[in-house]
Amino acid sequence: MIIALPSIRVPIMASTRPSKMPGLRTLKGARQIFCRVRNTWLQFSAEEFVRQAYINYLMDVTCVPLGLIQVEHAFMLHQTVCRFDVVVYNPDKKPWLLVELKSPKIKLNQEVLDQAQRYNLVINAPWLVVSNGLQEVIFYKNIVAKQLEPFKWN
Protein backbone atom coordinates (compact mmCIF):
# COMPACT_ATOMS: atom_id res chain seq x y z
CA MET A 1 0.00 0.00 0.00
CA ILE A 2 1.34 3.42 -0.95
CA ILE A 3 0.59 6.31 1.38
CA ALA A 4 -0.12 9.80 0.09
CA LEU A 5 2.48 12.35 1.05
CA PRO A 6 1.33 14.55 3.92
CA SER A 7 1.46 18.26 3.20
CA ILE A 8 2.94 19.15 6.58
CA ARG A 9 6.55 19.71 7.55
CA VAL A 10 7.54 17.32 10.30
CA PRO A 11 10.62 18.06 12.40
CA ILE A 12 12.85 15.02 12.81
CA MET A 13 14.02 15.72 16.33
CA ALA A 14 14.63 18.71 18.55
CA SER A 15 18.05 18.89 20.12
CA THR A 16 20.42 21.41 21.59
CA ARG A 17 23.48 19.47 20.38
CA PRO A 18 25.08 21.06 17.33
CA SER A 19 25.70 19.09 14.16
CA LYS A 20 28.96 19.53 12.26
CA MET A 21 28.81 21.02 8.81
CA PRO A 22 30.12 18.63 6.16
CA GLY A 23 33.75 19.20 5.25
CA LEU A 24 34.14 21.05 1.95
CA ARG A 25 37.18 21.71 -0.24
CA THR A 26 38.19 22.55 -3.78
CA LEU A 27 40.81 20.30 -5.34
CA LYS A 28 42.10 21.05 -8.85
CA GLY A 29 39.06 23.23 -9.49
CA ALA A 30 36.56 20.54 -8.39
CA ARG A 31 34.37 21.08 -5.32
CA GLN A 32 34.37 18.14 -2.94
CA ILE A 33 32.54 17.13 0.23
CA PHE A 34 33.78 14.75 2.93
CA CYS A 35 31.83 11.61 3.87
CA ARG A 36 32.54 10.56 7.46
CA VAL A 37 31.00 7.11 6.93
CA ARG A 38 33.08 6.25 3.87
CA ASN A 39 36.05 8.33 5.10
CA THR A 40 36.61 9.85 1.67
CA TRP A 41 36.12 13.00 -0.37
CA LEU A 42 33.28 12.93 -2.92
CA GLN A 43 32.23 15.15 -5.79
CA PHE A 44 30.05 17.96 -4.44
CA SER A 45 26.38 18.14 -5.42
CA ALA A 46 23.34 19.61 -3.70
CA GLU A 47 22.00 16.11 -2.97
CA GLU A 48 25.38 14.99 -1.61
CA PHE A 49 25.41 18.01 0.70
CA VAL A 50 21.97 17.03 2.04
CA ARG A 51 23.18 13.43 2.49
CA GLN A 52 26.33 14.42 4.38
CA ALA A 53 24.49 16.99 6.53
CA TYR A 54 21.94 14.31 7.43
CA ILE A 55 24.69 11.81 8.28
CA ASN A 56 26.33 14.43 10.51
CA TYR A 57 22.95 15.04 12.17
CA LEU A 58 22.55 11.32 12.84
CA MET A 59 26.04 11.02 14.30
CA ASP A 60 26.34 14.33 16.18
CA VAL A 61 22.80 15.03 17.37
CA THR A 62 21.13 11.63 17.70
CA CYS A 63 24.44 9.88 18.57
CA VAL A 64 24.10 7.03 16.07
CA PRO A 65 27.44 5.17 16.03
CA LEU A 66 29.38 5.28 12.77
CA GLY A 67 29.34 1.47 12.57
CA LEU A 68 25.53 1.37 12.37
CA ILE A 69 25.27 3.65 9.31
CA GLN A 70 25.47 2.43 5.73
CA VAL A 71 25.53 4.88 2.81
CA GLU A 72 24.62 4.44 -0.87
CA HIS A 73 24.52 0.67 -0.94
CA ALA A 74 23.26 -1.17 -4.02
CA PHE A 75 20.45 -3.73 -3.85
CA MET A 76 18.11 -5.49 -6.28
CA LEU A 77 14.45 -4.50 -6.69
CA HIS A 78 12.45 -6.31 -9.40
CA GLN A 79 15.60 -7.15 -11.42
CA THR A 80 16.77 -3.52 -11.20
CA VAL A 81 19.85 -2.37 -9.33
CA CYS A 82 18.89 0.41 -6.92
CA ARG A 83 20.91 2.35 -4.37
CA PHE A 84 19.55 3.63 -1.07
CA ASP A 85 20.91 6.83 0.47
CA VAL A 86 21.26 5.93 4.15
CA VAL A 87 20.29 2.98 6.32
CA VAL A 88 20.74 3.00 10.08
CA TYR A 89 20.92 -0.44 11.69
CA ASN A 90 19.95 -1.40 15.22
CA PRO A 91 22.56 -3.07 17.47
CA ASP A 92 21.42 -6.47 16.14
CA LYS A 93 22.40 -5.26 12.63
CA LYS A 94 18.81 -5.22 11.37
CA PRO A 95 17.63 -2.17 9.37
CA TRP A 96 15.98 0.33 11.70
CA LEU A 97 15.77 3.50 9.59
CA LEU A 98 15.81 4.06 5.83
CA VAL A 99 16.56 7.62 4.74
CA GLU A 100 15.88 8.72 1.16
CA LEU A 101 17.41 12.12 0.42
CA LYS A 102 16.97 14.52 -2.47
CA SER A 103 18.42 17.82 -3.56
CA PRO A 104 16.66 20.88 -2.09
CA LYS A 105 15.53 21.62 -5.67
CA ILE A 106 13.47 18.40 -5.71
CA LYS A 107 10.02 18.73 -4.21
CA LEU A 108 8.83 15.95 -1.94
CA ASN A 109 5.98 14.62 -4.02
CA GLN A 110 4.22 11.30 -4.47
CA GLU A 111 6.85 10.03 -6.92
CA VAL A 112 9.63 10.59 -4.37
CA LEU A 113 7.59 8.94 -1.64
CA ASP A 114 6.75 5.97 -3.87
CA GLN A 115 10.47 5.45 -4.60
CA ALA A 116 11.32 5.42 -0.89
CA GLN A 117 8.49 3.02 -0.10
CA ARG A 118 9.56 0.67 -2.95
CA TYR A 119 13.09 0.68 -1.52
CA ASN A 120 11.72 -0.14 1.90
CA LEU A 121 9.95 -3.23 0.50
CA VAL A 122 13.47 -4.68 0.26
CA ILE A 123 15.15 -2.95 3.24
CA ASN A 124 12.15 -3.50 5.57
CA ALA A 125 13.05 -0.80 8.10
CA PRO A 126 10.39 0.12 10.67
CA TRP A 127 11.19 3.84 10.18
CA LEU A 128 11.42 5.75 6.91
CA VAL A 129 12.47 9.37 6.42
CA VAL A 130 12.23 11.27 3.14
CA SER A 131 13.97 14.66 3.06
CA ASN A 132 15.29 17.29 0.67
CA GLY A 133 17.06 19.18 3.45
CA LEU A 134 14.25 21.72 3.65
CA GLN A 135 11.36 19.38 4.40
CA GLU A 136 11.21 15.92 5.85
CA VAL A 137 8.46 13.40 6.22
CA ILE A 138 8.64 10.53 8.69
CA PHE A 139 6.87 7.19 8.49
CA TYR A 140 6.78 4.27 10.91
CA LYS A 141 5.67 0.70 10.48
CA ASN A 142 2.37 0.05 12.23
CA ILE A 143 2.88 -3.48 13.54
CA VAL A 144 -0.85 -4.19 13.81
CA ALA A 145 -1.74 -2.90 10.34
CA LYS A 146 1.59 -4.15 8.92
CA GLN A 147 2.10 -1.02 6.85
CA LEU A 148 3.91 2.30 6.91
CA GLU A 149 1.97 5.23 8.31
CA PRO A 150 2.83 8.92 8.61
CA PHE A 151 4.35 9.72 11.98
CA LYS A 152 2.60 12.53 13.83
CA TRP A 153 4.04 14.33 16.84
CA ASN A 154 1.46 14.46 19.62
Side-chain angles (χ1 to χ4, degrees):
M1 176 180 180
I2 302 297
I3 301 165
L5 184 68
S7 61
I8 59 170
R9 184 179 186 281
V10 180
I12 292 179
M13 180 182 281
S15 175
T16 57
R17 294 189 62 181
S19 177
K20 294 178 186 173
M21 286 295 293
L24 300 171
R25 74 177 184 185
T26 301
L27 184 65
K28 297 180 183 176
R31 291 181 6 183
Q32 295 182 332
I33 188 165
F34 189 73
C35 176
R36 291 166 67 188
V37 174
R38 293 173 277 192
N39 195 31
T40 191
W41 289 93
L42 305 169
Q43 181 177 337
F44 180 89
S45 69
E47 182 176 339
E48 193 62 49
F49 182 85
V50 172
R51 184 179 300 112
Q52 296 311 317
Y54 202 91
I55 288 168
N56 287 352
Y57 170 83
L58 288 169
M59 292 174 66
D60 299 335
V61 178
T62 65
C63 300
V64 174
L66 175 67
L68 297 181
I69 300 173
Q70 191 172 31
V71 180
E72 288 196 306
H73 185 73
F75 64 96
M76 293 295 294
L77 176 65
H78 306 298
Q79 288 116 18
T80 303
V81 177
C82 300
R83 188 176 297 273
F84 62 70
D85 284 309
V86 179
V87 169
V88 175
Y89 294 88
N90 68 19
D92 295 329
K93 303 292 185 191
K94 293 182 181 170
W96 179 76
L97 169 68
L98 170 63
V99 184
E100 181 59 31
L101 300 162
K102 299 295 180 188
S103 164
K105 297 176 184 176
I106 305 293
K107 292 187 177 186
L108 299 186
N109 57 25
Q110 192 65 48
E111 181 181 343
V112 171
L113 179 59
D114 290 348
Q115 175 192 7
Q117 290 193 9
R118 281 192 305 273
Y119 286 8
N120 203 40
L121 291 173
V122 174
I123 305 304
N124 199 27
W127 291 91
L128 171 65
V129 172
V130 181
S131 177
N132 64 6
L134 302 173
Q135 301 175 285
E136 54 273 331
V137 182
I138 304 171
F139 296 89
Y140 73 99
K141 189 173 287 182
N142 181 322
I143 297 171
V144 175
K146 297 183 181 177
Q147 65 184 22
L148 287 172
E149 296 182 358
F151 178 76
K152 296 179 179 133
W153 297 93
N154 291 335

